[in-house]
Amino acid sequence: MKHAFVRAVLCAALVLPFAAHAHKMWMVPSATVISGDDAWVTVDAAVSNDLYYPDHFPAQLDQLVITAPDGTTVKPENAATGKYRSTFDLAVPQKGTYRLALVNQGLFANYEVDGQKKRWRGKADELKTAIPANAKNVQVSEMSSRVETFVTQGTPSDGALKPTNKGLELVPVTKPNDLMAGEKATFQLLLDGKPAANVKVVAINGATRYRNAQDEMDTNTDKDGKFSFTWPTAGMYWVNASSEDDKASVKEAKQRRLGYTATLEVLPQ
Amino acid sequence: MRRLVPLALCLAATLPAAAADLNLTVEIPALKVAEYHRPYVAVWVERDDHSVAANLAVWYDMKKADGEGSKWLKDMRQWWRRSGRDQTMPIDGVSGATRPAGQHQLRFTDGKPPLGALAPGHYELVVEAAREVGGREAQRIAFDWPAKTPTHLSAKGSDELGQITLDLNP
């Protein structure tokens, strides 16, 4: 019961960013640049208003997919979900870049039964049984979102960063764990494996609690899906892109909402 | 071991200079702090494009159990990015234990490791120090190689590094 409630609220939180820039979902690793063979990181994951202060809901770790530099999927350790955040530890024995991703794919429906507004979130094969036959004004949307961060032991590598060609994804031009204040970083955004042209991308330095403005930077992807930011200061940056289209994979859904978020650490010179 | 260094320098001074050399003094300042750890220090020669021409010294805690010391190598942030992350530690003839506060003299000869044969050109000597529960500082000294005449260059750190002198001999 409690789980269902959390799910319901969380799905609202996940959908909200598309409607209003309210809640932000993120993962923050304790370190992104790592040396030593017996290295670990610990990671927080949450949905919150401020970056990076867990004040709203924990992220759901059943969506977590961790890819090691050799392309294999690895498991987190000590995973726990608390009131405001989820946490897990990750051993990083391999040299190269690890990709940590919260991958969320599913359907979201609004409908009315006897004049009462209802909401539902779930998988495509659950849709038929989930919504009662007498439901009216049924509106189904498909959601595809990916929330990522990166951790590199030794030299950055690309093995874990191969796109899955589903939804919005980031492809590095500049390595995501090689970012320095004052330097320009370039990435490519893909939509279903093809360059996502003319998509707005925002970047916010995470320490929003210690300043009065969001200081949001934004840019648009070019025809090749590429975009760049020159980081003004060091910090953990929240980089987000979202778009909508009508290429839903189920016929009941008229619309598809797509999101991509990365937490990128920028170090001082 | 450290006692041998001044002796070696005396000997070097009396012998005719066979090859160009590079003499370096790095001062690690004595700091009055509640919790003091010896700094990790990296010394390297950088080309104009920031690529590393030679790693000269890396001082880190090699004695800690399970290679725990290598965990903090990344804190020498510039060195880690330019070169450290591509290395397998320890680096033969380059890495060594951390050193106490004081003046440390280092001498490198052209053509011999770890300096190697440095192509004629413009370089920067970089000294970077990072201290556990402390700060981080990098100092740079630009120089032309080889020196036409004996050249004395210096830089002064403000926090984690003290006086740094670089003497180039043709």
Side-chain angles (χ1 to χ4, degrees):
Chain A
M1 185 60 208
K2 191 180 169 220
H3 188 67
F5 170 74
V6 169
R7 279 261 170 193
V9 183
L10 182 72
C11 77
L14 284 172
V15 170
L16 264 170
F18 297 101
H21 290 280
H23 303 122
K24 300 178 175 78
M25 193 163 173
W26 44 263
M27 257 190 295
V28 171
S30 55
T32 63
V33 173
I34 292 162
S35 62
D37 295 331
D38 187 29
W40 286 73
V41 287
T42 186
V43 182
D44 288 350
V47 178
S48 72
N49 288 329
D50 269 339
L51 296 170
Y52 284 102
Y53 303 96
D55 59 5
H56 198 57
F57 291 104
Q60 302 297 295
L61 295 184
D62 56 1
Q63 301 166 354
L64 181 64
V65 180
I66 304 169
T67 311
D70 64 2
T72 57
T73 302
V74 292
K75 289 253 179 292
E77 306 246 6
N78 306 322
T81 295
K83 176 75 177 162
Y84 287 141
R85 62 169 178 168
S86 291
T87 68
F88 58 90
D89 296 335
L90 177 67
V92 287
Q94 293 182 28
K95 296 262 187 247
T97 301
Y98 286 73
R99 172 164 66 165
L100 290 67
L102 293 166
V103 183
N104 178 44
Q105 244 158 353
L107 297 178
F108 186 77
N110 286 300
Y111 59 94
E112 285 173 32
V113 175
D114 303 329
Q116 293 231 305
K117 288 188 175 173
K118 306 261 188 190
R119 292 210 265 212
W120 172 84
R121 175 178 170 260
K123 301 262 177 257
D125 57 1
E126 299 163 355
L127 180 67
K128 283 200 172 64
T129 50
I131 296 179
N134 61 341
K136 288 177 182 158
N137 296 330
V138 180
Q139 289 183 314
V140 181
S141 295
E142 188 173 336
M143 288 190 314
S144 168
S145 78
R146 179 173 271 278
V147 175
E148 294 187 334
T149 194
F150 307 91
V151 169
T152 295
Q153 144 97 273
T155 311
S157 67
D158 286 334
L161 309 182
K162 293 195 176 74
T164 64
N165 300 332
K166 278 184 199 158
L168 281 176
E169 291 179 282
L170 189 82
V171 177
V173 177
T174 307
K175 301 276 194 280
N177 289 137
D178 200 12
L179 310 177
M180 300 284 270
E183 292 185 8
K184 182 174 152 182
T186 302
F187 305 99
Q188 187 184 31
L189 199 64
L190 299 181
L191 175 54
D192 296 337
K194 296 186 189 74
N198 201 30
V199 175
K200 186 182 174 189
V201 186
V202 304
I204 302 173
N205 189 334
T208 47
R209 181 184 288 196
Y210 305 116
R211 58 182 195 264
N212 294 325
Q214 290 284 307
D215 290 347
E216 181 178 301
M217 304 189 289
D218 61 56
T219 186
N220 279 292
T221 57
D222 65 13
K223 64 177 170 42
D224 299 319
K226 288 189 178 152
F227 67 94
S228 299
F229 285 111
T230 300
W231 316 105
T233 53
M236 284 281 188
Y237 281 80
W238 187 80
V239 175
N240 174 262
S242 59
S243 68
E244 289 184 12
D245 64 21
D246 56 4
K247 292 176 184 159
S249 60
V250 293
K251 66 175 185 333
E252 291 88 349
K254 297 270 180 293
Q255 185 192 41
R256 182 170 66 153
R257 293 165 169 184
L258 302 135
Y260 178 84
T261 302
T263 299
L264 301 175
E265 185 174 39
V266 176
L267 292 170
Q269 287 284 347
Chain B
M1 184 60 209
R2 265 192 297 135
R3 285 184 157 215
L4 292 175
V5 174
L7 182 67
L9 284 174
C10 288
L11 284 172
T14 57
L15 293 167
D21 65 16
L22 190 151
N23 293 294
L24 181 68
T25 312
V26 175
E27 184 189 12
I28 295 173
L31 299 169
K32 285 193 178 114
V33 290
E35 184 182 345
Y36 182 79
H37 300 270
R38 292 179 182 183
Y40 278 31
V41 175
V43 182
W44 71 100
V45 175
E46 210 170 91
R47 300 183 188 93
D48 281 343
D49 65 356
H50 297 304
S51 64
V52 173
N55 270 308
L56 299 183
V58 179
W59 302 338
Y60 74 107
D61 195 336
M62 303 167 81
K63 281 184 295 195
K64 274 191 180 171
D66 304 324
E68 172 81 356
S70 59
K71 180 177 175 181
W72 311 107
L73 285 169
K74 62 167 173 58
D75 291 349
M76 293 183 284
R77 195 180 289 136
Q78 288 293 351
W79 173 75
W80 184 250
R81 191 186 192 207
R82 305 283 183 230
S83 166
R85 66 193 191 187
D86 300 320
Q87 308 287 340
T88 303
M89 301 301 292
I91 310 171
D92 206 23
V94 173
S95 54
T98 53
R99 301 198 180 187
Q103 301 251 351
H104 299 278
Q105 290 179 321
L106 301 153
R107 180 167 183 262
F108 305 98
T109 307
D110 189 33
K112 289 188 182 164
L115 183 61
L118 207 56
H122 183 72
Y123 295 94
E124 277 190 331
L125 176 92
V126 193
V127 181
E128 181 174 24
R131 196 164 48 83
E132 193 179 341
V133 242
R136 174 190 158 268
E137 183 172 16
Q139 287 291 331
R140 294 170 170 271
I141 300 175
F143 68 94
D144 288 309
W145 185 262
K148 290 186 180 66
T149 53
T151 309
H152 178 80
L153 300 162
S154 68
K156 189 154 172 51
S158 54
D159 299 303
E160 301 296 337
L161 291 168
Q163 186 73 31
I164 299 163
T165 61
L166 174 64
D167 286 287
L168 305 168
N169 295 310

